[in-house]
Amino acid sequence: MTIHKNFKGIEKTVFGRGSFNQLGEIVEAQRHQNDQFMLYLVDNYFKGKDLARQIPAQPGDMVMYIDVDKHEPTTQQIDMIRDSVKATRGIPAAAIGIGGGSILDIAKAVSLMFTNEGSSQLYQGLNLVKKPGIYHIGVPTISGTGAEVSMTAVLTGPEKKLGLKCEWTVFNQVVLDPDLIASVPRNWWFYTGMDTYIHCIESENGILNNAYSHAFAEQALKLCREIYIGKDSGQTAANDDKLMVASLMGGLSLTYSEVGVCHALSYGLSKILGTRHCYANCLAFNHLEDFYPEGVKEFKTMIKQHDIDLPQGLSKDWTDEQVTAMAKVSYNLSHMWNHAIGSDWKDKITVDKIKDLFYRL
Ligand code: NAD
Ligand code: ZN
């Protein structure tokens, strides 16, 4: 018998330019919970900027600015935030993440760790979390990863890079205000947006694709094409509206299907070299024409149109040991290969074949 995924979605969503102004009303509705203060986790980029002044924090609320450029979210970082807040103030009524995928994952994970004991590293994996977390709200400021809708909070721990994945990870509320992504630097706008594009191409091209995942991918791809190809493409207000929606829909598509070869390689790059998710995807996707001929062709058109710098010949600086390690990480993501290649993927894909793919980079 086939077991179909029974996934949990975001409970409440507000979308639109200026919707950030409604955040105050949204958080106040939760103030009665726990120790009745709010914990804002905000990308350090916004410190001193207009958006920081618009955060509806009241006296007694906590606003923490977090630098996400030093490293991707770690279990140690989550434990420290939880422990310090708990020791000084107690348990917040709600955690509100304002930032990109990194901050959204931090908000999700911290929310769960206020109610689950011990280190967050104990909960890396599927359905290991014991209790629902505190109310958590996601406010994306860069679009593409789908972290706003996914049921995972990706953390790097001492042993593994793996998400806290369960129904309770999903945000209770998201606030999608396209004004917030206007300041994203052009390169990031491209790489992060391409994560959505790649989610859709991979979701569509594999055995787990179905009418539900297809409908979201088809629409998100249409939006990506409007944003990144042709005369109306570019980082405009109208396109930022579309990108926020595309990111969400791309995330929903892969939730009900699966990612594929590009993400399998990208995880290898991130794990061994620390390459950031969206950028790693772009580096890999550029060389996957054997698997996704049309998608890669279109991707190259977009790279050219937006004059994006994507380095080549990287692998000449890697040792064979490193490439082998990357290939092993990729090979072990069997659910991705199964989707992309088919249930007989082990007859077709070997660690050596994956190494050859890495050597193309
Ligand atoms: P990010 O949060 O890492 O931010 C990227 C850069 O953009 C940072 O320098 C940040 O300061 C900056 N930035 C963010 N918003 C900005 C704005 N409005 N203006 C100017 N600069 C801005 O970016 P990301 O690519 O969204 O997230 C990557 C992270 O997401 C990784 O840690 C990855 O593991 C995680 N991820 C999670 C999921 C999931 O489903 N949970 C999926 C994919 C990736
Ligand atoms: Zn991705």
Side-chain angles (χ1 to χ4, degrees):
M1 189 182 82
T2 310
I3 304 288
H4 297 284
K5 280 185 204 169
N6 189 4
F7 83 96
K8 179 162 175 290
I10 304 163
E11 283 163 23
K12 297 187 86 176
T13 303
V14 49
F15 170 79
R17 224 156 258 283
S19 59
F20 187 75
N21 296 328
Q22 285 168 236
L23 183 61
E25 201 179 304
I26 290 166
V27 297
E28 289 317 317
Q30 304 303 325
R31 187 162 302 268
H32 61 282
Q33 301 201 60
N34 306 320
D35 294 310
Q36 306 186 3
F37 69 97
M38 299 298 158
L39 174 62
Y40 289 92
L41 302 157
V42 187
D43 190 314
N44 201 44
Y45 167 81
F46 293 107
K47 200 169 186 175
K49 303 256 186 351
D50 280 347
L51 185 78
R53 288 185 277 279
Q54 291 163 25
I55 294 173
Q58 301 296 313
D61 289 348
M62 293 179 87
V63 182
M64 272 187 190
Y65 289 96
I66 300 172
D67 183 351
V68 299
D69 290 327
K70 281 194 210 132
H71 50 73
E72 293 195 330
T74 65
T75 52
Q76 196 193 12
Q77 182 182 22
I78 299 302
D79 298 350
M80 269 174 54
I81 295 173
R82 187 260 324 261
D83 293 343
S84 70
V85 172
K86 241 182 158 172
T88 52
R89 298 296 316 282
I91 299 182
I96 304 107
I98 305 176
S102 303
I103 290 284
L104 297 179
D105 281 357
I106 291 172
K108 289 172 176 179
V110 165
S111 142
L112 293 168
M113 295 315 297
F114 274 111
T115 51
N116 288 275
E117 295 189 356
S119 168
S120 50
Q121 78 183 80
L122 298 171
Y123 305 102
Q124 286 181 282
L126 180 62
N127 292 333
L128 300 176
V129 176
K130 306 266 187 303
K131 294 179 195 159
I134 64 168
Y135 198 87
H136 48 304
I137 303 173
V139 186
T141 66
I142 178 168
S143 289
T145 64
E148 65 276 25
V149 65
S150 77
M151 57 183 280
T152 185
V154 183
L155 300 181
T156 304
E159 276 157 35
K160 51 199 170 191
K161 179 178 170 177
L162 198 61
L164 309 188
K165 191 168 181 185
C166 70
E167 289 196 359
W168 298 316
T169 311
V170 183
F171 282 113
N172 298 102
Q173 164 91 55
V174 295
V175 176
L176 304 176
D177 184 341
D179 268 341
L180 272 45
I181 66 171
S183 56
V184 170
R186 200 177 54 98
N187 267 10
W188 284 111
W189 163 79
F190 189 85
Y191 300 137
T192 311
M194 282 304 110
D195 196 21
T196 291
Y197 180 78
I198 296 166
H199 288 160
C200 296
I201 298 292
E202 293 191 307
S203 166
E204 291 268 76
N205 290 283
I207 59 170
L208 297 175
N209 190 31
N210 57 72
Y212 188 98
S213 54
H214 168 64
F216 286 111
E218 186 176 51
Q219 185 61 33
L221 279 172
K222 178 173 173 282
L223 293 168
C224 285
R225 288 179 182 125
E226 291 170 14
I227 300 161
Y228 292 103
I229 305 171
K231 69 171 176 38
D232 294 327
S233 72
Q235 211 176 355
T236 62
N239 284 338
D240 282 349
D241 283 11
K242 294 176 189 171
L243 185 55
M244 263 198 152
V245 178
S247 173
L248 190 84
M249 291 189 136
L252 286 168
S253 178
L254 77 86
T255 295
Y256 222 73
S257 174
E258 188 50 84
V259 288
V261 181
C262 183
H263 275 71
L265 297 190
S266 153
Y267 283 127
L269 279 170
S270 297
K271 173 83 192 176
I272 306 304
L273 303 176
T275 315
R276 299 187 79 98
H277 180 76
C278 303
Y279 182 56
N281 275 341
C282 289
L283 292 177
F285 196 65
N286 204 24
H287 297 280
L288 292 179
E289 55 276 351
D290 296 357
F291 299 92
Y292 308 110
E294 286 162 27
V296 173
K297 195 170 158 221
E298 196 165 61
F299 173 79
K300 288 187 170 164
T301 311
M302 298 189 273
I303 290 268
K304 213 168 157 197
Q305 175 157 356
H306 298 287
D307 202 16
I308 297 296
D309 172 37
L310 204 59
Q312 309 278 333
L314 294 170
S315 60
K316 67 179 187 318
D317 297 328
W318 302 337
T319 65
D320 194 62
E321 233 182 342
Q322 283 178 312
V323 176
T324 306
M326 290 184 224
K328 283 184 177 159
V329 171
S330 296
Y331 185 84
N332 286 330
L333 295 162
S334 52
H335 52 294
M336 299 181 191
W337 295 107
N338 174 65
H339 167 63
I341 311 291
S343 56
D344 59 346
W345 69 272
K346 285 193 173 168
D347 299 339
K348 298 171 185 156
I349 300 293
T350 60
V351 171
D352 281 336
K353 284 205 175 134
I354 301 175
K355 282 178 71 176
D356 289 342
L357 294 176
F358 278 114
Y359 275 118
R360 290 184 190 176
L361 268 60

